[in-house]
Amino acid sequence: MSFSHLLLGILEPAPCHGFALKNAYDVRFGRGRSLGVGQVYATLARLQRDGLAELVGVESGDGPDRRVYAVTSLGVAELSSWLLTPEPPTGYAQSVLFAKTVLALLSDRPADEVLARQRVVHLERMREVRRLGQAGDLVSRLSADHEIAHLDADLRWIELAGKRLEHIAAEHGLSG
Amino acid sequence: MSGPLLAGLGLGVSFGETAALEDVSLSLSAGEVVAVMGTSGSGKSTLLHCLAGVLVPDRGEVSFAGERIDNQSDRRRSDLRLRSFGFVPQFGDLVPELTLLENVALPLRLLQVGRREATGRAAALLDELEVGSAASRRAGAASGGQVQRVAVARALVHCPSVVFADEPTGALDSATGELVLEALVATARDRGSAVLLVTHEAVVASHADREVVVRDGRLDLLAFPTVG
Ligand SMILES: Nc1ncnc2c1ncn2[C@@H]1O[C@H](COP(=O)(O)OP(=O)(O)O)[C@@H](O)[C@H]1O
Ligand SMILES: [Mg+2]
């Protein structure tokens, strides 16, 4: 579900067609991998079906016509709730976590709160993994160490991201 | 006893112009392991010093086992620390001329425990912490990881009600630190000692049952959002 949320977030600032969305995605979140435009239109169709996005026009140019989409108010609400709901604290949440923080920043939603909520969930998971690992044999300890190290990488990034946001807010005289 | 074992209420500390701590309340139950997190300079050590009766707060009160301690004399507080508290500092702070074993037996000797019994208990605890084989080494010649394990032993040898650990692994590499922390928390739990663990690292804080975050001398409420 999170890819369609991601697309919703990129679409939110202004109506746009699938090809422009694909480009925006590639620049911000692609990390060297380019998205297929077909996947983008399929996702847009699904968002439209669910009432989260709507078709607002068709742009005709040199190539095939391009359908232009916009986020509905239902879509905005859905996006807000997704951004502020922490990801399941697996060691592999990094890319979604990064995307949520960037989208929150770009849309003036509280990115520090996104980070703070995720931090709570990650720390809780870390405690749980530790408990399970310590109750077991050497192999379960090693496995716990492995997951803890990945969670720790996320937490370090959350810490740093929080510091950066704080620093930027202070520089612009926005701090409390 | 009902109620918390150790409680700070509305604590405030100023150093000249600097408000190091402002209106912070924190309590520990018996046997509970609590982490105090925050970036450097946020007021973690100041909070620990107030709760441990090392520093008298300018505002607020501290009570231990239902009794106020912040208004007691220096002498009574120092006696309380010796008897009921243990301390693991960042750099071990062992007496370099004494052996590791002698360092650990020291708190018991100060509490008038006989030499033979003190040595026996210290040796057993060093074994438990897997540094028994180095017991006769002088503290000045021990490695960083050994020193911190011994500091843990020294803090726990008299079965204190509360152990205060201020960045106890801050001077160690992360893998060595992880194992020392594991030993610290496990030993404290074994003895029913509560732990106040000060750290700026989440991975360290995750050894605790819960954590609080200090930011600019205050408890950071953003760190406890109502999720959902
Ligand atoms: N003895 C002292 N004299 C003057 N300022 C102090 C003293 N101890 C701490 N401070 C100041 O109080 C604030 C909190 O310090 P501290 O509790 O040591 O923070 P932390 O342990 O989180 O790094 C800092 O601004 C620090 O400079
Ligand atoms: Mg400190």
Side-chain angles (χ1 to χ4, degrees):
Chain A
M1 193 58 191
S2 77
F3 177 70
S4 52
H5 283 107
L6 199 49
L7 222 53
L8 207 54
I10 302 172
L11 178 61
E12 190 190 24
C16 119
H17 54 70
F19 192 70
L21 271 184
K22 168 210 148 37
N23 284 336
Y25 177 93
D26 287 348
V27 168
R28 286 220 167 89
F29 306 110
R31 298 191 171 175
R33 289 226 315 254
S34 174
L35 205 59
V37 85
Q39 192 188 349
V40 173
Y41 275 111
T43 305
L44 283 170
R46 217 166 32 244
L47 289 170
Q48 186 182 16
R49 182 201 63 199
D50 296 340
L52 304 177
E54 59 190 349
L55 189 62
V56 293
V58 178
E59 240 175 50
S60 40
D62 316 339
D65 287 348
R66 289 164 169 182
R67 283 163 290 161
V68 177
Y69 290 86
V71 175
T72 62
S73 52
L74 191 63
V76 172
E78 174 63 28
L79 185 60
S80 290
S81 121
W82 177 69
L83 285 174
L84 286 174
T85 305
E87 286 299 300
T90 67
Y92 308 96
Q94 298 96 327
S95 55
V96 188
L97 191 49
F98 167 77
K100 280 187 170 182
T101 308
V102 171
L103 287 178
L105 276 174
L106 292 176
S107 63
D108 274 333
R109 287 185 177 86
D112 53 350
E113 210 170 312
V114 172
L115 293 170
R117 286 175 184 225
Q118 192 66 50
R119 190 175 159 284
V120 168
V121 176
H122 260 59
L123 250 173
E124 194 48 55
R125 175 63 189 164
M126 218 186 219
R127 268 196 281 272
E128 187 185 336
V129 172
R130 218 178 257 302
R131 262 196 311 275
L132 296 174
Q134 277 164 6
D137 57 6
L138 176 62
V139 173
S140 34
R141 276 182 188 233
L142 288 174
S143 144
D145 289 344
H146 186 251
E147 185 172 345
I148 287 169
H150 282 86
L151 289 165
D152 188 37
D154 279 359
L155 282 164
R156 281 170 192 270
W157 179 78
I158 289 171
E159 219 77 56
L160 178 58
K163 258 270 174 282
R164 268 196 213 287
L165 296 184
E166 214 174 273
H167 187 75
I168 290 167
E171 284 295 295
H172 291 73
L174 302 171
S175 68
Chain B
M1 189 192 66
S2 65
L5 175 66
L6 178 68
L9 193 67
L11 300 177
V13 173
S14 304
F15 296 108
E17 296 284 275
T18 315
L21 218 55
E22 275 183 271
D23 195 25
V24 170
S25 299
L26 176 64
S27 55
L28 255 81
S29 305
E32 194 184 21
V33 183
V34 176
V36 175
M37 296 190 67
T39 51
S40 59
S42 57
K44 304 182 296 295
S45 295
T46 305
L47 175 58
L48 179 143
H49 290 146
C50 288
L51 290 171
V54 175
L55 181 71
V56 176
D58 299 317
R59 294 167 296 280
E61 15 185 286
V62 180
S63 48
F64 173 72
E67 209 182 317
R68 265 188 79 169
I69 61 168
D70 58 281
N71 55 7
Q72 291 180 0
S73 65
D74 285 357
R75 195 197 161 81
R76 281 195 63 190
R77 276 186 286 111
S78 128
D79 193 54
L80 170 74
R81 290 199 300 270
L82 198 61
R83 230 163 264 294
S84 304
F85 296 166
F87 294 86
V88 186
Q90 185 171 353
F91 299 101
D93 294 345
L94 303 180
V95 183
E97 297 79 17
L98 296 184
T99 65
L100 298 180
L101 183 66
E102 287 163 347
N103 267 283
V104 177
L106 200 56
L108 293 175
R109 297 291 290 145
L110 292 173
L111 289 168
Q112 318 299 330
V113 174
R115 178 178 300 277
R116 189 197 269 284
E117 188 192 335
T119 307
R121 279 167 65 181
L125 187 51
L126 284 175
D127 280 341
E128 200 178 316
L129 287 160
E130 298 170 337
V131 271
S133 61
S136 59
R137 185 172 297 176
R138 289 208 186 286
S143 74
Q146 277 175 342
V147 165
Q148 284 312 87
R149 279 175 189 264
V150 174
V152 167
R154 185 192 51 188
L156 279 155
V157 71
H158 56 304
C159 299
S161 302
V162 188
V163 175
F164 296 89
D166 195 345
E167 312 264 8
T169 55
L172 303 178
D173 65 85
S174 64
T176 304
E178 175 72 23
L179 296 183
V180 168
L181 269 170
E182 223 171 76
L184 162 59
V185 172
T187 314
R189 286 195 197 281
D190 243 29
R191 286 169 164 60
S193 302
V195 180
L196 190 76
L197 177 61
V198 162
T199 179
H200 62 276
E201 289 180 283
V203 70
V204 171
S206 72
H207 284 269
D209 302 320
R210 65 184 169 98
E211 86 276 354
V212 297
V213 179
V214 182
R215 181 203 286 251
D216 297 333
R218 294 176 173 276
L219 287 191
D220 181 0
L221 298 178
L222 190 59
F224 312 92
T226 32
V227 175

